[in-house]
Amino acid sequence: MTGMLPIRSAIVACALGLALLPCSAAAADLALLRNGFTIRHERRQVVGENTRLFTAGGDSSYVDVPTAEIEGFEKDLSLPKAAEVPPVNTTSAADLNQVVSSVSATYHLDPDLINSVILAESGFNSRAVSRKGAQGLMQLMPGTAGRLGVANPMDPKANVDGGTRYLRQLLERYNFDLVKALAAYNAGPLRVEQYRGVPPYRETRAYVAKIVHDYNRKKIAQEKAEAAAAKLNRQRKVAATNSPPGPKHKSPRTISGTTEPNVENVQARAAGTEALEEKNASPQR
């Protein structure tokens, strides 16, 4: 789906992700953003050039949005029901490899690429949560996870499935241009289309470079190993073809596993011995 939101956009993904979070107030406010998204919040506070939107009770849950990106505010009278979060499954390294292999096969992507994305996103920490609210191995924002049907982003299998499916969608959107797809995964498709490529954000450029470098390193190592194995096989074949045949030995006639001397050869040797003896015995002239 080309309208899917990015995983970690500075404004857009946070906007939709936080807008879908339940709030405890009977009538919360909605911040209307210039990009068309909204953020539900209980209260707000201007901090410098940003507006801090508090999304839950207390002061710890908030998101800072540039004030210039906010067009206005309105009341939100809807009361979304808080979803129950299923328990988190613990996954070993071996199980995770199996999950990545299985999911990669489903979406026809290289498992090495998915592992490189996971390394950059969470460092293989299935309980990782970013300051922007991205969760799990592939750092799914709540809004993105919801659109992907991921009920529990902290579940490793569900998280990898959702993140891999989303990356596949981005690759199809950008004609399998990996650099653009990774940039969209990090900064959002809107920013990629705005700048017609990788946005000029230090975080996004470092993110894309890290994944591409790690993925290329794996592919180069695999190619070298395959080339070395192929060369060794060729050398073995050449050695087997050019090796001289072994000496041929004439086996004596055998009967029932026992050796029988060659009678003709023995008689010939005996006759030669007698002739030599007679020659030596005759007087010399």
Side-chain angles (χ1 to χ4, degrees), residues 269-281:
R269 286 197 299 272
T273 302
E274 291 177 356
L276 181 61
E277 289 178 350
E278 290 178 358
K279 180 179 180 181
N280 292 335

Side-chain angles (χ1 to χ4, degrees), residues 154-205:
M154 304 304 283
D155 182 314
K157 183 176 181 180
N159 188 289
V160 172
D161 184 274
T164 302
R165 177 151 43 100
Y166 181 58
L167 181 59
R168 172 74 190 196
Q169 293 169 354
L170 292 173
L171 285 167
E172 292 177 355
R173 178 169 181 164
Y174 296 109
N175 297 320
F176 292 90
D177 186 326
L178 179 58
V179 171
K180 287 185 178 179
L182 291 174
Y185 196 102
N186 177 263
L190 294 179
R191 294 293 178 252
V192 172
E193 291 164 9
Q194 175 184 355
Y195 293 100
R196 299 181 180 181
V198 180
Y201 305 145
R202 179 179 300 177
E203 175 190 348
T204 301
R205 291 182 178 273

Side-chain angles (χ1 to χ4, degrees), residues 183-244:
Y185 196 102
N186 177 263
L190 294 179
R191 294 293 178 252
V192 172
E193 291 164 9
Q194 175 184 355
Y195 293 100
R196 299 181 180 181
V198 180
Y201 305 145
R202 179 179 300 177
E203 175 190 348
T204 301
R205 291 182 178 273
Y207 171 88
V208 172
K210 180 178 181 180
I211 294 177
V212 171
H213 174 76
D214 185 67
Y215 181 61
N216 285 342
R217 177 183 59 80
K218 295 174 184 176
K219 296 295 103 179
I220 292 174
Q222 289 178 5
E223 291 175 358
K224 288 183 177 180
E226 292 172 358
K231 182 179 180 181
L232 181 60
N233 288 334
R234 289 196 300 269
Q235 290 176 343
R236 288 176 177 175
K237 289 181 180 179
V238 171
T241 303
N242 297 336
S243 59

